[in-house]
Amino acid sequence: MAKFAVVLAFLALLGSTQALPADEAGPRVTGGTATLLGQYPSAVIIETPYIPQNCMGTVVNRQHVLTAASCVMNPTTFVMINPFWLRVIAGDINIVPVSTRREVRQVIRSYVHPNYNRLTDGNNLAVLRVDVPFPEFHNTIEPALLNARILADNTQCVFAGWGATQNQVTAVVRPNQFVVTQPILATVSCNAANVHNNRVQQTMICAGALAQSQNAVCRGNMGGGLYCNGRLTGVLAFGMGCGVANQPGVYMDVRQYTQWIETQFTRTDNPPPGWTPPQPL
């Protein structure tokens, strides 16, 4: 408990001494519909002292959570955060009040994709191992099924997350989880010069709206899951518009990383804190 008191104090200090750009404040889902307890049982919050708005992740088996690599890297030094500082909140749709179904776990291992590129967000994935497996029979915590199919443009997908309703640092954060519809967009459209300007790679999925939208995700939901046809299809890597035109969310395509994800479940090594991915070209 003492170490989390330190974390909370550090978060409070960050919040009082620096203002984040509007596109990085959060966590946020604008618009959408309030979820029911157990509706998205694989969606979790990842607490980290280095990102004031925290991150999100997805339970992929009883002891592992999938998230974005950028959620477990120090944004100043670009080295991996000690898992000691990370914990996972699962089984709840509220930040406050706390549900009796909530389960909190300490992260004990962080496995970042070895080819993660912080400049391009390529391979922006990490698998976290928690100290105690989640309960096997729990109606508000359930591992996600992973998508294995190529999905057509305009497939209707959803993103469930927590947050404010306005793209402002001072916006009031909603204490409960909301879900928004995010249709898959054509990669060529997302790579237009006035959108993401060729930043969307073949291992990524673009989803949301090109026009200004009342239903959107933003960087505060980094690492959260995109669900299509009931399966985890993407992990939010970037897309900072929060409803602004031409800034849809971009996700790592889970289908193309399934083998790497599952390989992390049986790893026995312990990557040391301070690990750094290969230097971007």
Side-chain angles (χ1 to χ4, degrees), residues 31-51:
T33 305
T35 63
L36 301 175
L37 192 61
Q39 187 175 357
Y40 294 95
S42 59
V44 301
I45 296 172
I46 299 171
E47 291 188 336
T48 165
Y50 292 94
I51 302 177

PDB file of all heavy atoms in Angstrom, residues 31-51:
ATOM      1  N   GLY A  31     -18.793  11.249 -26.098  1.00  0.00           N
ATOM      2  CA  GLY A  31     -20.066  10.703 -26.543  1.00  0.00           C
ATOM      3  C   GLY A  31     -20.236   9.263 -26.099  1.00  0.00           C
ATOM      4  O   GLY A  31     -19.691   8.819 -25.100  1.00  0.00           O
ATOM      5  N   GLY A  32     -21.024   8.516 -26.875  1.00  0.00           N
ATOM      6  CA  GLY A  32     -21.201   7.101 -26.585  1.00  0.00           C
ATOM      7  C   GLY A  32     -22.333   6.807 -25.625  1.00  0.00           C
ATOM      8  O   GLY A  32     -23.118   7.677 -25.248  1.00  0.00           O
ATOM      9  N   THR A  33     -22.391   5.547 -25.207  1.00  0.00           N
ATOM     10  CA  THR A  33     -23.445   5.040 -24.339  1.00  0.00           C
ATOM     11  C   THR A  33     -22.826   4.385 -23.114  1.00  0.00           C
ATOM     12  O   THR A  33     -21.828   3.667 -23.228  1.00  0.00           O
ATOM     13  CB  THR A  33     -24.296   3.997 -25.092  1.00  0.00           C
ATOM     14  OG1 THR A  33     -24.795   4.581 -26.299  1.00  0.00           O
ATOM     15  CG2 THR A  33     -25.450   3.513 -24.230  1.00  0.00           C
ATOM     16  N   ALA A  34     -23.407   4.621 -21.957  1.00  0.00           N
ATOM     17  CA  ALA A  34     -22.899   4.005 -20.732  1.00  0.00           C
ATOM     18  C   ALA A  34     -23.009   2.489 -20.826  1.00  0.00           C
ATOM     19  O   ALA A  34     -24.000   1.952 -21.321  1.00  0.00           O
ATOM     20  CB  ALA A  34     -23.678   4.521 -19.528  1.00  0.00           C
ATOM     21  N   THR A  35     -21.976   1.790 -20.365  1.00  0.00           N
ATOM     22  CA  THR A  35     -21.973   0.330 -20.408  1.00  0.00           C
ATOM     23  C   THR A  35     -22.589  -0.251 -19.138  1.00  0.00           C
ATOM     24  O   THR A  35     -22.758   0.441 -18.131  1.00  0.00           O
ATOM     25  CB  THR A  35     -20.547  -0.217 -20.566  1.00  0.00           C
ATOM     26  OG1 THR A  35     -19.774   0.164 -19.418  1.00  0.00           O
ATOM     27  CG2 THR A  35     -19.889   0.322 -21.821  1.00  0.00           C
ATOM     28  N   LEU A  36     -22.880  -1.534 -19.200  1.00  0.00           N
ATOM     29  CA  LEU A  36     -23.385  -2.267 -18.046  1.00  0.00           C
ATOM     30  C   LEU A  36     -22.259  -3.105 -17.455  1.00  0.00           C
ATOM     31  O   LEU A  36     -21.337  -3.518 -18.172  1.00  0.00           O
ATOM     32  CB  LEU A  36     -24.546  -3.178 -18.459  1.00  0.00           C
ATOM     33  CG  LEU A  36     -25.760  -2.482 -19.082  1.00  0.00           C
ATOM     34  CD1 LEU A  36     -26.768  -3.524 -19.559  1.00  0.00           C
ATOM     35  CD2 LEU A  36     -26.398  -1.514 -18.096  1.00  0.00           C
ATOM     36  N   LEU A  37     -22.313  -3.356 -16.166  1.00  0.00           N
ATOM     37  CA  LEU A  37     -21.293  -4.161 -15.506  1.00  0.00           C
ATOM     38  C   LEU A  37     -21.208  -5.528 -16.175  1.00  0.00           C
ATOM     39  O   LEU A  37     -22.209  -6.233 -16.309  1.00  0.00           O
ATOM     40  CB  LEU A  37     -21.640  -4.318 -14.023  1.00  0.00           C
ATOM     41  CG  LEU A  37     -20.536  -4.881 -13.117  1.00  0.00           C
ATOM     42  CD1 LEU A  37     -19.320  -3.966 -13.117  1.00  0.00           C
ATOM     43  CD2 LEU A  37     -21.056  -5.066 -11.697  1.00  0.00           C
ATOM     44  N   GLY A  38     -20.025  -5.887 -16.641  1.00  0.00           N
ATOM     45  CA  GLY A  38     -19.823  -7.163 -17.305  1.00  0.00           C
ATOM     46  C   GLY A  38     -20.018  -7.135 -18.806  1.00  0.00           C
ATOM     47  O   GLY A  38     -19.804  -8.148 -19.472  1.00  0.00           O
ATOM     48  N   GLN A  39     -20.385  -5.981 -19.367  1.00  0.00           N
ATOM     49  CA  GLN A  39     -20.624  -5.903 -20.811  1.00  0.00           C
ATOM     50  C   GLN A  39     -19.328  -6.030 -21.607  1.00  0.00           C
ATOM     51  O   GLN A  39     -19.296  -6.648 -22.670  1.00  0.00           O
ATOM     52  CB  GLN A  39     -21.328  -4.585 -21.153  1.00  0.00           C
ATOM     53  CG  GLN A  39     -21.775  -4.476 -22.601  1.00  0.00           C
ATOM     54  CD  GLN A  39     -22.582  -3.206 -22.866  1.00  0.00           C
ATOM     55  OE1 GLN A  39     -22.864  -2.424 -21.950  1.00  0.00           O
ATOM     56  NE2 GLN A  39     -22.955  -2.997 -24.106  1.00  0.00           N
ATOM     57  N   TYR A  40     -18.245  -5.436 -21.094  1.00  0.00           N
ATOM     58  CA  TYR A  40     -16.923  -5.544 -21.719  1.00  0.00           C
ATOM     59  C   TYR A  40     -15.947  -6.039 -20.657  1.00  0.00           C
ATOM     60  O   TYR A  40     -15.119  -5.280 -20.143  1.00  0.00           O
ATOM     61  CB  TYR A  40     -16.497  -4.193 -22.313  1.00  0.00           C
ATOM     62  CG  TYR A  40     -17.391  -3.786 -23.462  1.00  0.00           C
ATOM     63  CD1 TYR A  40     -18.482  -2.946 -23.255  1.00  0.00           C
ATOM     64  CD2 TYR A  40     -17.182  -4.296 -24.737  1.00  0.00           C
ATOM     65  CE1 TYR A  40     -19.332  -2.612 -24.298  1.00  0.00           C
ATOM     66  CE2 TYR A  40     -18.024  -3.972 -25.786  1.00  0.00           C
ATOM     67  CZ  TYR A  40     -19.095  -3.132 -25.561  1.00  0.00           C
ATOM     68  OH  TYR A  40     -19.944  -2.817 -26.602  1.00  0.00           O
ATOM     69  N   PRO A  41     -16.028  -7.316 -20.324  1.00  0.00           N
ATOM     70  CA  PRO A  41     -15.293  -7.843 -19.165  1.00  0.00           C
ATOM     71  C   PRO A  41     -13.783  -7.960 -19.355  1.00  0.00           C
ATOM     72  O   PRO A  41     -13.074  -8.261 -18.401  1.00  0.00           O
ATOM     73  CB  PRO A  41     -15.925  -9.221 -18.961  1.00  0.00           C
ATOM     74  CG  PRO A  41     -16.390  -9.621 -20.326  1.00  0.00           C
ATOM     75  CD  PRO A  41     -16.863  -8.348 -20.963  1.00  0.00           C
ATOM     76  N   SER A  42     -13.293  -7.721 -20.568  1.00  0.00           N
ATOM     77  CA  SER A  42     -11.844  -7.797 -20.780  1.00  0.00           C
ATOM     78  C   SER A  42     -11.169  -6.430 -20.718  1.00  0.00           C
ATOM     79  O   SER A  42      -9.940  -6.343 -20.693  1.00  0.00           O
ATOM     80  CB  SER A  42     -11.537  -8.465 -22.129  1.00  0.00           C
ATOM     81  OG  SER A  42     -12.124  -7.740 -23.192  1.00  0.00           O
ATOM     82  N   ALA A  43     -11.947  -5.345 -20.679  1.00  0.00           N
ATOM     83  CA  ALA A  43     -11.376  -3.992 -20.656  1.00  0.00           C
ATOM     84  C   ALA A  43     -10.904  -3.627 -19.253  1.00  0.00           C
ATOM     85  O   ALA A  43     -11.642  -3.797 -18.281  1.00  0.00           O
ATOM     86  CB  ALA A  43     -12.405  -2.982 -21.146  1.00  0.00           C
ATOM     87  N   VAL A  44      -9.669  -3.121 -19.149  1.00  0.00           N
ATOM     88  CA  VAL A  44      -9.098  -2.782 -17.845  1.00  0.00           C
ATOM     89  C   VAL A  44      -8.411  -1.420 -17.893  1.00  0.00           C
ATOM     90  O   VAL A  44      -8.086  -0.901 -18.965  1.00  0.00           O
ATOM     91  CB  VAL A  44      -8.077  -3.844 -17.378  1.00  0.00           C
ATOM     92  CG1 VAL A  44      -8.730  -5.214 -17.265  1.00  0.00           C
ATOM     93  CG2 VAL A  44      -6.869  -3.900 -18.318  1.00  0.00           C
ATOM     94  N   ILE A  45      -8.184  -0.865 -16.710  1.00  0.00           N
ATOM     95  CA  ILE A  45      -7.398   0.355 -16.550  1.00  0.00           C
ATOM     96  C   ILE A  45      -5.999  -0.041 -16.086  1.00  0.00           C
ATOM     97  O   ILE A  45      -5.851  -0.924 -15.236  1.00  0.00           O
ATOM     98  CB  ILE A  45      -8.039   1.298 -15.514  1.00  0.00           C
ATOM     99  CG1 ILE A  45      -9.408   1.783 -16.001  1.00  0.00           C
ATOM    100  CG2 ILE A  45      -7.132   2.494 -15.223  1.00  0.00           C
ATOM    101  CD1 ILE A  45     -10.186   2.559 -14.952  1.00  0.00           C
ATOM    102  N   ILE A  46      -4.982   0.599 -16.644  1.00  0.00           N
ATOM    103  CA  ILE A  46      -3.602   0.368 -16.218  1.00  0.00           C
ATOM    104  C   ILE A  46      -3.092   1.654 -15.578  1.00  0.00           C
ATOM    105  O   ILE A  46      -2.991   2.689 -16.234  1.00  0.00           O
ATOM    106  CB  ILE A  46      -2.705  -0.030 -17.400  1.00  0.00           C
ATOM    107  CG1 ILE A  46      -3.213  -1.333 -18.029  1.00  0.00           C
ATOM    108  CG2 ILE A  46      -1.248  -0.184 -16.946  1.00  0.00           C
ATOM    109  CD1 ILE A  46      -2.520  -1.696 -19.320  1.00  0.00           C
ATOM    110  N   GLU A  47      -2.804   1.582 -14.294  1.00  0.00           N
ATOM    111  CA  GLU A  47      -2.312   2.753 -13.573  1.00  0.00           C
ATOM    112  C   GLU A  47      -0.798   2.853 -13.721  1.00  0.00           C
ATOM    113  O   GLU A  47      -0.077   1.880 -13.504  1.00  0.00           O
ATOM    114  CB  GLU A  47      -2.679   2.666 -12.093  1.00  0.00           C
ATOM    115  CG  GLU A  47      -4.166   2.813 -11.822  1.00  0.00           C
ATOM    116  CD  GLU A  47      -4.476   2.906 -10.348  1.00  0.00           C
ATOM    117  OE1 GLU A  47      -3.661   2.424  -9.529  1.00  0.00           O
ATOM    118  OE2 GLU A  47      -5.533   3.458 -10.000  1.00  0.00           O
ATOM    119  N   THR A  48      -0.331   4.034 -14.099  1.00  0.00           N
ATOM    120  CA  THR A  48       1.096   4.293 -14.251  1.00  0.00           C
ATOM    121  C   THR A  48       1.404   5.708 -13.801  1.00  0.00           C
ATOM    122  O   THR A  48       0.661   6.633 -14.131  1.00  0.00           O
ATOM    123  CB  THR A  48       1.550   4.106 -15.714  1.00  0.00           C
ATOM    124  OG1 THR A  48       2.852   4.692 -15.887  1.00  0.00           O
ATOM    125  CG2 THR A  48       0.579   4.742 -16.694  1.00  0.00           C
ATOM    126  N   PRO A  49       2.482   5.918 -13.050  1.00  0.00           N
ATOM    127  CA  PRO A  49       2.808   7.262 -12.572  1.00  0.00           C
ATOM    128  C   PRO A  49       3.389   8.165 -13.645  1.00  0.00           C
ATOM    129  O   PRO A  49       3.497   9.369 -13.448  1.00  0.00           O
ATOM    130  CB  PRO A  49       3.840   6.999 -11.472  1.00  0.00           C
ATOM    131  CG  PRO A  49       4.516   5.746 -11.907  1.00  0.00           C
ATOM    132  CD  PRO A  49       3.428   4.912 -12.534  1.00  0.00           C
ATOM    133  N   TYR A  50       3.768   7.592 -14.788  1.00  0.00           N
ATOM    134  CA  TYR A  50       4.421   8.388 -15.819  1.00  0.00           C
ATOM    135  C   TYR A  50       3.448   8.973 -16.832  1.00  0.00           C
ATOM    136  O   TYR A  50       3.821   9.816 -17.641  1.00  0.00           O
ATOM    137  CB  TYR A  50       5.477   7.545 -16.540  1.00  0.00           C
ATOM    138  CG  TYR A  50       6.649   7.212 -15.652  1.00  0.00           C
ATOM    139  CD1 TYR A  50       6.684   6.020 -14.934  1.00  0.00           C
ATOM    140  CD2 TYR A  50       7.707   8.100 -15.501  1.00  0.00           C
ATOM    141  CE1 TYR A  50       7.752   5.719 -14.101  1.00  0.00           C
ATOM    142  CE2 TYR A  50       8.776   7.809 -14.675  1.00  0.00           C
ATOM    143  CZ  TYR A  50       8.794   6.612 -13.975  1.00  0.00           C
ATOM    144  OH  TYR A  50       9.851   6.324 -13.145  1.00  0.00           O
ATOM    145  N   ILE A  51       2.202   8.509 -16.825  1.00  0.00           N
ATOM    146  CA  ILE A  51       1.181   9.043 -17.715  1.00  0.00           C
ATOM    147  C   ILE A  51       0.020   9.463 -16.828  1.00  0.00           C
ATOM    148  O   ILE A  51      -0.732   8.615 -16.342  1.00  0.00           O
ATOM    149  CB  ILE A  51       0.731   7.996 -18.755  1.00  0.00           C
ATOM    150  CG1 ILE A  51       1.938   7.519 -19.569  1.00  0.00           C
ATOM    151  CG2 ILE A  51      -0.345   8.570 -19.672  1.00  0.00           C
ATOM    152  CD1 ILE A  51       1.618   6.429 -20.568  1.00  0.00           C
TER     153      ILE A  51
END
